[in-house]
Amino acid sequence: MADPPGPGHVPRGPVPQLPSPVVEVDDDRLAARGVRLLLKRDDLIHADVPGNKWRKLALNLTAAVEQGHDTLLTFGGAYSNHVAATAAAGWHHGLATIGVIRGEEHRPLNPVLADAAARGMRLTYLDRTRYRARDDPALHAELHDRFGRFYLLPEGGSNTLAVRGCAQLAAELLTQVPTADVVCVPVGTGGTLAGLAAGLAGLGDPAAGHTTGPGASPDDRRRAVGVAVLRGGFLPGQVAALQQATFTAVTANWTVLDGFHSGGYARRDRTLDLFIADFAARHGLTLDWVYGAKMMRALYATAGDQQIPAGSTVVAVITGRCDDTGRR
């Protein structure tokens, strides 16, 4: 297990590559429906903390350091990309990390938790009943008693600072593609969609640099479409609550598509696997099956209908790691 570097060190390893690139996808199936597709390659922002994970964590890391914390604590499942990203971000920025994992401990560790442990994260476990109380202050007090002082990151990293970080995505994207009509993202905990939609609507914090970019004045045509990657139907309420908490307003320029989760979070089916294989064969990009592939399958299924009308320029944000054979 790697020890985290001491406070005040210079972050080591790769630095974030911003803005992330935008590339166009030439696909005759979309062209036939009058839809132009571009990919916002947020997966290329950082080798260890890619995509929306960096955008959610960046302001939180700054806040943790400014408040004098030397430890981050967060929650997640055994295959949580957020847990692994928090471990990596802490390691790079000289912060110890603690991961509170849902369920029982299993050895050997799966690749996600093994990667987190290799970055110095201390792993602890809660049974599924206790884990449901992860937002309960009483549980947080117990964790403070056990581990000492820490900076708390919620499951998935979706808090108000994360939402502001994702609002910056809108500014960056609209500088690159000012003609964008629809922006698509996968949705797990709602923070990315909440921030993106707010940014597209012109909500932001000028003092913090989170504003819409050139050519990005509020426009009713610009919409954010989120694709739920898990079951439950609760995500619209969660997105609205995050916007309200962050901006004291809820925008009307977003929607969440259900029905493309392939059975639930971190589940897949033959339809999804066939879509992934076909997209890779056509475009040289193997999509992440937990998030990106579900988003893209929904995009192709709804292109040309009322969600993504004909004549739209659509930007799909790639928020997780991909196997990009076209770049090798």
Side-chain angles (χ1 to χ4, degrees):
M1 180 179 297
D3 292 326
H9 87 301
V10 176
R12 54 185 173 181
V15 297
Q17 300 298 303
L18 293 170
S20 61
V22 173
V23 296
E24 186 154 4
V25 174
D26 183 11
D27 195 304
D28 56 0
R29 297 167 296 177
L30 296 178
R33 301 180 203 175
V35 171
R36 179 190 180 205
L37 174 62
L38 301 100
L39 304 182
K40 175 70 167 159
R41 295 294 305 273
D42 265 17
D43 57 307
L44 302 178
I45 288 176
H46 193 289
D48 294 330
V49 192
N52 64 339
K53 301 298 182 279
W54 174 260
R55 295 192 188 275
K56 287 182 174 184
L57 285 170
L59 293 179
N60 277 290
L61 289 168
T62 299
V65 172
E66 289 179 347
Q67 294 170 24
H69 290 278
D70 61 10
T71 301
L72 308 174
L73 181 143
T74 196
F75 296 83
Y79 289 88
S80 169
N81 289 330
H82 165 70
V83 166
T86 299
W91 185 85
H92 281 293
H93 288 79
L95 300 170
T97 54
I98 301 166
V100 182
I101 309 303
R102 181 181 64 245
E104 304 293 327
E105 180 179 12
H106 294 283
R107 293 284 179 170
L109 296 175
N110 68 44
V112 174
L113 295 184
D115 183 61
R119 294 294 192 183
M121 175 172 273
R122 180 174 180 179
L123 301 175
T124 188
Y125 298 82
L126 291 177
D127 64 56
R128 292 177 181 273
T129 299
R130 291 207 70 209
Y131 188 86
R132 293 190 190 102
R134 60 190 174 277
D135 296 325
D136 187 343
L139 174 60
H140 299 168
E142 289 181 29
L143 293 170
H144 278 293
D145 289 342
R146 180 177 174 187
F147 297 113
R149 187 168 181 262
F150 56 75
Y151 183 91
L152 177 66
L153 290 164
E155 182 181 56
S158 290
N159 59 12
T160 57
L161 288 177
V163 172
R164 289 194 180 279
C166 291
Q168 192 174 33
L169 168 62
E172 185 179 300
L173 185 156
L174 291 174
T175 300
Q176 297 169 303
V177 191
T179 58
D181 301 300
V182 179
V183 185
C184 296
V185 290
V187 185
T189 54
T192 303
L193 178 60
L196 170 66
L200 291 175
L203 293 181
D205 183 354
H210 302 298
T211 59
T212 48
S217 57
D219 187 331
D220 290 340
R221 292 184 314 125
R222 286 203 183 97
R223 297 175 50 252
V225 174
V227 178
V229 302
L230 70 170
R231 296 182 298 176
F234 60 89
L235 285 170
Q238 196 154 308
V239 172
L242 284 165
Q243 285 194 333
Q244 183 66 41
T246 306
F247 301 108
T248 66
V250 178
T251 65
N253 64 334
W254 56 272
T255 190
V256 177
L257 301 182
D258 286 312
F260 297 94
H261 50 65
S262 298
Y265 181 73
R267 295 191 179 183
R268 60 199 300 175
D269 55 22
R270 179 168 172 76
T271 300
L272 184 66
D273 287 341
L274 289 173
F275 179 86
I276 292 170
D278 178 71
F279 193 89
R282 291 172 182 262
H283 304 298
L285 185 67
T286 301
L287 298 165
D288 158 39
W289 59 272
V290 178
Y291 291 99
K294 294 179 180 182
M295 170 193 66
M296 201 69 72
R297 186 166 76 89
L299 189 160
Y300 273 71
T302 58
D305 73 5
Q306 62 180 357
Q307 298 294 341
I308 303 178
S312 297
T313 294
V314 181
V315 180
V317 183
I318 306 299
T319 60
R321 289 188 175 91
C322 295
D323 182 8
D324 194 345
T325 57
R327 294 173 64 89
R328 293 180 179 176

